[in-house]
Amino acid sequence: MMKGYWIGRVDVSNPDAYQNYVKANAVPFAKYGARFLVRGGAYRIAEGDARARNVVIEFPTYEAALACWDSPEYQAAKAERDGHAVADIIIIEGYEGPQPG
C-alpha cells in the first residue's frame, strides 16, 4: 500500500489560539500513525505563491491519511484552528515508481 501525505500551507492570524489546535491534533495524528516530515522551517519560494507556514505529514497509508482527516478527533482539532488560521491542505497518495537516473 502506498503511503499517504498531507501537504499544508498555513497563515496563522492568532498564534496563541493556534496552539490549542496544535495540542488537539496530537491525538488523531498519533492514532493514525502520522509523522511530520516538514513542520515550519526555512523555505524559499521558487515559483508561485506561498503561505507563512508549510507542513508535510506522512501516514502509513493513503487510507490512513484520509481516515485521519475524516475522523471526529481531527475535525474537533480543526475546529480549534478555525478562525485563527487560513490553510490550504491536500491529501495525496505517495509514489513508489521509477525515479530519474
Side-chain angles (χ1 to χ4, degrees):
M1 298 194 96
M2 298 290 185
K3 290 185 178 184
Y5 299 88
W6 288 13
I7 301 172
R9 302 177 323 128
V10 184
D11 286 331
V12 177
S13 57
N14 185 340
D16 292 334
Y18 187 80
Q19 289 308 306
N20 295 327
Y21 163 71
V22 172
K23 291 174 190 168
N25 71 28
V27 171
F29 286 167
K31 179 178 178 179
Y32 291 95
R35 184 171 83 96
F36 283 91
L37 300 180
V38 174
R39 193 173 193 179
Y43 67 94
R44 180 180 96 180
I45 301 169
E47 184 175 341
D49 298 322
R51 294 196 180 271
R53 184 169 176 77
N54 301 287
V55 180
V56 178
I57 305 170
E58 180 183 77
F59 291 83
T61 64
Y62 177 63
E63 290 74 17
L66 293 172
C68 184
W69 179 268
D70 293 335
S71 72
E73 298 93 342
Y74 183 75
Q75 290 305 307
K78 183 183 171 300
E80 294 287 340
R81 187 187 76 207
D82 291 346
H84 305 295
V86 176
D88 300 317
I89 298 175
I90 65 166
I91 302 170
I92 190 165
E93 185 177 54
Y95 175 75
E96 295 191 16
Q99 298 294 327

